[in-house]
Amino acid sequence: MSQGNMRLKLHIWRQKGASAPGAMKTYEVTANEHMSFLEMLDVLNQELIEKGEEPVAFDHDCREGICGSCNMVINGHPHGPQRGTTACQLHMRTFKDGDEIFVEPWRARAFPIIKDLVVDRTAFDRIIASGGYVSVNSGSAPDANEILIGRDDAEEAFEYAACIGCGACVAACKNASAMLFTAAKFAHLEKLPQGQVESDRRAVEMVMQHDAEGFGACTNQYECEAACPKEISVTSIAMLNRAYRRAALSSKS
Amino acid sequence: MQSLLRFLGSTVGAKFLMALTGVLLALFVVGHLSGNFLLYKGQDAMNDYAEMLQGLGPALWIVRLGLLAVFATHIYYGIRLKRRNAAARPVNYAHEDTIQASFASRSMILTGLVVLAFVAMHLAHFTLGWLDAEAYDLKQTVQRDGQPFERHDVFGMVVAGFHNDVFVILYAFAMVVLGLHLSHGLHSLFQTLGFRHPAYTPWIERIGRGLAWVLAVGFLSIPLAVRFGFIAAAGGGDAG
Ligand code: HEM
Ligand code: FES
């Protein structure tokens, strides 16, 4: 076997469509340690196409760790074993010759499977639409630094804003809870003066939408934080818990 | 009112209630253990305390009913949360793995239900006297105003009770399980209530776990101390 090549046994979830039954199927492939995980799947798919078989469907777009679409659970870990890394940025050198690798879609009632590894994450869009925005007048652009924001707050807001909405938090959570996503999208606005105005309504609406989508409840195990490719902190969840309690209990309705 | 109901119906609100009732239950556990430690002081100290509690009359019943309501709420919401969470992932992973979640955090419903079963047994044993009527009926005679006075011998009941190895093992097991439940619960509740801080949280986790095991070992020490003769009926010392 040539330099850096490895022979792998893959167990991949195959499912033709949303309502079709699915099953794990086993494949063998030769990959090179310089490939990314997605490139390894590309090699497998090319072989499948040449054999006249259906290639494995998986989402991908940027392949540089910023779009959040390359979602798959690799050996029980969303985006694979390396911390702070999306599947597209995962190098095959984290595996070795002879390894067996399980590749599965995100598993959550709120993320129905579209095909193979591709799931429908529009539940996230609906959570954002419920309150994950600020209402602003769209007149002429305001002056820069018109509203002063302390550096620490700006930094923290940026850290929460790093969420790429991939859904790894849901996939990792034992309860398929989307609290880390919801809280990150809440917290990056909460930390800024522009976000304060609608804070109460935002907290209530986003939690209600999160629940309505059928995600589970957070039980403070922090699997989400460990799986998050952007390493977003569960401090955001404590912030949302606090804001939601204040807002929901003081609401007039 | 509507907003309160909506709050309690939400995942975040339900967890808030779990944490609140959990704190109250944990405070009861601390109080109960402090009372139990009187067993180490001896028969009179323990029985005085028990008599004082009985003497509270209606106040005792108010506390008992309150505790029951708190316990029932904690259990109801615990089971409801568990069912909701199981429904949120209808299909499990073929290759399931855990990155960092502790064993205790993953078995909260299980350890909770074992504690529930234990509480039922414990009440039947020492509060209602169904399991060991002979021990339950023990009386201590004390002098009151120069007159002999008979009272419930709680100390004797516990000592007699733990001369049965089946009970020693059941109690010891249940206390380890309670320790597990609290080793997650006592720090998890801070996050639920919205308190997280880079400097304090690591300490809250350490102290929470430590306290959980201090409580478990404290309770556990009593059946063991009786079984091995460190706590013995006055003048008797008739261990095992
Ligand atoms: C002496 C009795 C008990 C004490 C002191 C206690 C204490 C606690 C505490 C402090 C929490 C943490 C709440 C949080 O995470 O915010 C908790 C959670 C929990 N308890 Fe209990 N508990 C007791 C009995 C029970 C019983 C009988 C059940 C049975 C159903 C139960 C089931 C649960 C569940 C399911 C959770 C939620 C765990 C999670 O969010 O991961 N507990 N308990
Ligand atoms: S493909 Fe965009 S993050 Fe991986």
Side-chain angles (χ1 to χ4, degrees):
Chain A
M1 195 165 287
S2 67
Q3 182 76 47
N5 275 5
M6 54 181 89
R7 190 83 188 144
L8 301 168
K9 191 184 244 184
L10 300 171
H11 305 277
I12 304 180
W13 181 262
R14 301 305 308 267
Q15 181 172 336
K16 282 204 164 65
S19 48
M24 296 299 284
K25 269 205 166 162
T26 305
Y27 302 91
E28 298 220 5
V29 71
T30 300
N32 186 276
E33 64 177 17
H34 298 300
M35 291 175 178
S36 73
F37 200 85
L38 300 195
E39 285 165 340
M40 180 276 292
L41 288 179
D42 292 338
V43 170
L44 172 71
N45 276 346
Q46 193 57 40
E47 289 173 11
L48 290 179
I49 289 166
E50 280 164 17
K51 280 195 283 184
E53 290 179 36
E54 184 80 4
V56 178
F58 61 90
D59 249 342
H60 61 102
D61 188 5
C62 68
R63 296 207 175 200
E64 53 184 18
I66 55 172
C67 75
S69 52
C70 54
N71 299 322
M72 53 192 77
V73 173
I74 301 165
N75 284 343
H77 295 217
H79 293 297
Q82 193 165 310
R83 289 238 175 173
T85 309
T86 53
C88 59
Q89 295 280 292
L90 180 68
H91 272 91
M92 289 311 294
R93 59 172 168 267
T94 47
F95 300 93
K96 58 182 193 310
D97 189 40
D99 273 0
E100 269 190 70
I101 307 176
F102 288 77
V103 190
E104 301 176 71
W106 286 176
R107 291 289 189 198
R109 184 158 71 100
F111 286 162
I113 293 178
I114 295 172
K115 188 177 183 186
D116 295 339
L117 304 175
V118 182
V119 301
D120 177 353
R121 287 179 295 128
T122 49
F124 272 11
D125 299 342
R126 290 187 291 273
I127 292 176
I128 297 293
S130 74
Y133 54 82
V134 288
S135 306
V136 290
N137 286 328
S138 53
S140 54
D143 286 341
N145 297 329
E146 191 186 356
I147 301 171
L148 296 177
I149 300 167
R151 187 176 179 281
D152 290 348
D153 284 341
E155 288 289 327
E156 204 179 332
F158 269 128
E159 277 170 27
Y160 300 133
C163 170
I164 54 178
C166 65
C169 44
V170 176
C173 176
K174 303 291 179 196
N175 315 312
S177 173
M179 259 305 133
L180 188 60
F181 168 78
T182 309
K185 295 300 180 191
F186 173 80
H188 77 114
L189 298 175
E190 183 73 1
K191 277 294 181 190
L192 300 176
Q194 294 93 329
Q196 290 297 323
V197 186
E198 294 161 298
S199 168
D200 282 6
R201 191 182 54 79
R202 177 178 305 115
V204 171
E205 297 293 332
M206 288 181 86
V207 169
M208 275 185 11
Q209 191 60 38
H210 166 278
D211 291 0
E213 296 293 344
F215 292 109
C218 175
T219 57
N220 307 339
Q221 297 176 308
Y222 314 141
E223 288 288 284
C224 51
E225 183 183 83
C228 176
K230 299 299 158 187
E231 303 184 291
I232 289 171
S233 164
V234 294
T235 302
S236 57
I237 300 181
M239 202 185 290
L240 178 58
N241 286 347
R242 219 161 48 226
Y244 178 75
R245 185 180 68 230
R246 185 195 62 217
L249 290 179
S250 65
S251 121
K252 302 278 188 302
S253 63
Chain B
M1 195 61 210
Q2 210 187 335
S3 64
L4 181 66
L5 289 180
R6 187 180 54 199
F7 176 72
L8 296 179
S10 71
T11 52
V12 177
K15 274 299 307 258
F16 180 74
L17 210 58
M18 290 296 296
L20 214 63
T21 51
V23 172
L24 294 173
L25 290 172
L27 285 176
F28 164 75
V29 165
V30 171
H32 189 18
L33 180 61
S34 337
N36 286 359
F37 274 157
L38 288 172
L39 285 160
Y40 285 105
K41 255 192 112 182
Q43 187 173 25
D44 289 336
M46 187 69 211
N47 290 354
D48 283 349
Y49 174 65
E51 198 184 342
M52 183 275 286
L53 285 185
Q54 285 297 330
L56 294 177
L60 179 65
W61 275 104
I62 290 169
V63 172
R64 279 177 168 172
L65 288 177
L67 196 59
L68 186 69
V70 166
F71 201 52
T73 306
H74 190 80
I75 294 165
Y76 173 77
Y77 274 93
I79 292 173
R80 221 175 71 142
L81 272 174
K82 181 66 209 171
R83 289 172 55 117
R84 185 196 164 92
N85 291 347
R89 174 159 298 134
V91 182
N92 276 322
Y93 292 109
H95 184 109
E96 159 100 53
D97 203 5
T98 295
I99 308 173
Q100 61 170 32
S102 67
F103 174 73
S105 76
R106 286 180 283 129
S107 34
M108 287 303 272
I109 187 71
L110 211 68
T111 51
L113 290 174
V114 170
V115 170
L116 174 62
F118 166 77
V119 169
M121 177 193 80
H122 182 51
L123 290 177
H125 190 201
F126 284 151
T127 306
L128 300 165
W130 295 347
L131 300 182
D132 193 352
E134 205 177 310
Y136 186 72
D137 290 336
L138 285 175
K139 295 277 183 274
Q140 183 194 23
T141 309
V142 288
Q143 291 298 320
R144 182 110 354 130
D145 305 326
Q147 302 287 323
F149 176 77
E150 261 200 351
R151 65 177 179 182
H152 186 33
D153 185 8
V154 174
F155 180 88
M157 172 179 78
V158 172
V159 171
F162 289 137
H163 277 164
N164 183 339
D165 282 349
V166 175
F167 281 124
V168 175
I169 290 166
L170 284 176
Y171 274 73
F173 172 73
M175 288 309 106
V176 172
V177 171
L178 178 66
L180 269 175
H181 196 82
L182 293 182
S183 76
H184 176 67
L186 288 187
H187 63 81
S188 166
L189 70 91
F190 284 85
Q191 169 81 359
T192 305
L193 297 179
F195 187 85
R196 189 172 194 86
H197 184 280
Y200 301 141
T201 297
W203 282 102
I204 289 171
E205 294 188 354
R206 272 177 219 130
I207 293 169
R209 287 202 184 92
L211 184 61
W213 292 114
V214 165
L215 290 170
V217 169
F219 277 112
L220 204 130
S221 75
I222 290 163
L224 294 181
V226 172
R227 177 63 186 78
F228 295 105
F230 297 105
I231 299 176
D238 59 333

